[in-house]
Amino acid sequence: MKILVAFSGGKDSQASLIWAVDKFGIKNVSAVFCDTGWEHQWTYNHVVSICKKMGVPLVELSSKKYKGMVGLATSKKRFPSTKARFCTEELKTKPMIDYVLDEVKDHCMIIQGIRADESKNRSLMAQQCTYFKYYFQPYDDNQRKLERLEVKKNLSPKEVAKKVILLKRIAMGKLDPVYFSYRKRDVIAFCKTFADEVFRPVFDWTGQQVMQYILENGQKPNPLYYQGYSRVGCFPCVMCTHSELRIMLENDPEYIDRVRDAEQFVGRTFFPPNYVPNRYASKTDVKSGKRINSIDDVVRYISDKNATGELFPEEKDTDRRCMSFYGICE
Ligand code: SF4
C-alpha cells in the first residue's frame, strides 16, 4: 500500500508527515505537494527542505489545465472567492485525483492534515474514510441546502426564492443528491481494484499540539508562522483576513505587488465586493452596480485602520508578547 501525505507546507500537514513516517516507515511514505503557483517562496523552500531532511520523496503536482492561480482566474474571467472556491478543486483536488488514478495505480492511504477545530465544516468530517466516497454517497442534497439557508439570519430575495424551490422539491420527495463526477468512470474502475483509504492523524489535535509535536520531533514549522501568520498556503488566500493582509503589508509587500499585477493581468479585482467598506472602493462594477475594491483600496483601508489603532487591538497585544500566533518564538 502506498502512503501519500498531502503536504501543503503548513503545520498540520507537516505534523501528519512526521506521524506517517513514524507509523509506516520512511520507505513507504511519499509527500505530495499541489502547487497553485501562488504560494510564498518560503513555503516552496520549506516543503523541499523538510522532505530532504526527512528523506521522504516529494511529488509535486500542478493543474494540467490551468497555469496556476493567475491562469485559472484568467480563464474563468474572475478570481475565486469564498462563495466560488473553484481554486481548491481545480488547482489541488483534480491534480491529486489525476495522480492517484494515473500514476499511483495501487492500494493507497492518503494522509491529510485536517483538524476538527479549524471550522464547523471540518468538524463534521470523519477521522477515517475513503478518498472517493463522494462518488458513491452524496455530498449535498436539497435537505442540506435548505438547512444551510435556515441558519442564515437575513435572506436575500434570491435566497428566499431558492428556499421556496427547495421546499417544493423536498415536498415532492425529490432530494436531488449531488455527487462528485470528475473522471467518474475511472474512479469507479480504480475503486473496484484498489483501496483508497483516508486517515487524518491530527484530527482531534489543537493547533498548539500540532506545533508542539513538530518541535518535539526536532523540526521547525514553516517560517511564515514566526512572522505572525496563523495559516499558510496561497499567498494570499482568497479567504484571507484583514489582519493577515496587514502582516503581509508589513513583511511581504512584494506579494501585495503580485496581487496588483495579477489584478491588472486578469482585469478583475482579487477580493470580492464589500471586502472593505464602500467608501474605500474606488470603482463600480458596470454589470452589477456593486462597489468593487482593488488591492490598492484594500491596502488603503488596512493602512488607515491600522494607523488609528481601531481595527487590530488583539493583534497588537499579540505582537507585544510573541510574533507568532502560536507562541513559537520563545
Ligand atoms: S488556499 Fe485559498 S486560494 Fe488557495 S486553493 Fe485553497 S482556498 Fe483557494
Side-chain angles (χ1 to χ4, degrees), residues 22-34:
D22 188 44
K23 176 96 180 158
F24 300 106
I26 198 93
K27 64 179 189 311
N28 298 309
V29 175
S30 298
V32 184
F33 173 68
C34 293

Side-chain angles (χ1 to χ4, degrees), residues 36 38-39 69 80-81 85-89 91-92 231-240 270:
T36 62
W38 194 248
E39 316 277 335
M69 180 67 81
S81 68
R85 203 146 48 103
F86 48 82
C87 44
T88 313
E89 185 181 336
L91 303 178
K92 293 185 173 182
R231 55 182 178 177
V232 303
C234 287
F235 205 81
C237 169
V238 290
M239 303 199 298
C240 82
F270 185 78

Side-chain angles (χ1 to χ4, degrees), residues 91-155:
L91 303 178
K92 293 185 173 182
T93 310
K94 286 183 179 173
M96 183 70 179
I97 291 174
D98 287 342
Y99 175 65
V100 170
L101 295 179
D102 299 336
E103 291 178 55
V104 175
K105 291 185 194 158
D106 195 352
H107 298 297
C108 60
M109 177 181 280
I110 294 162
I111 306 285
Q112 296 176 334
I114 286 178
R115 287 186 301 108
D117 76 358
E118 283 179 281
S119 68
K120 184 160 183 283
N121 275 349
R122 294 198 164 196
S123 72
L124 298 174
M125 293 171 136
Q127 183 167 40
Q128 194 164 6
C129 58
T130 53
Y131 191 62
F132 293 120
K133 74 173 179 178
Y134 290 129
Y135 285 81
F136 304 96
Q137 67 184 66
Y139 67 88
D140 208 1
D141 60 30
N142 288 339
Q143 188 59 45
R144 281 181 254 191
K145 285 177 190 162
L146 182 65
E147 283 164 13
R148 284 200 298 275
L149 281 178
E150 280 175 341
V151 294
K152 285 182 113 182
K153 279 189 187 136
N154 298 314
L155 295 186

Side-chain angles (χ1 to χ4, degrees), residues 11-12 15 114-118 201-214 326:
K11 65 184 190 322
D12 299 328
I114 286 178
R115 287 186 301 108
D117 76 358
E118 283 179 281
V202 300
F203 191 70
D204 294 324
W205 299 14
T206 63
Q208 210 67 51
Q209 282 175 306
V210 164
M211 280 296 182
Q212 198 62 35
Y213 183 72
I214 292 171
Y326 295 98

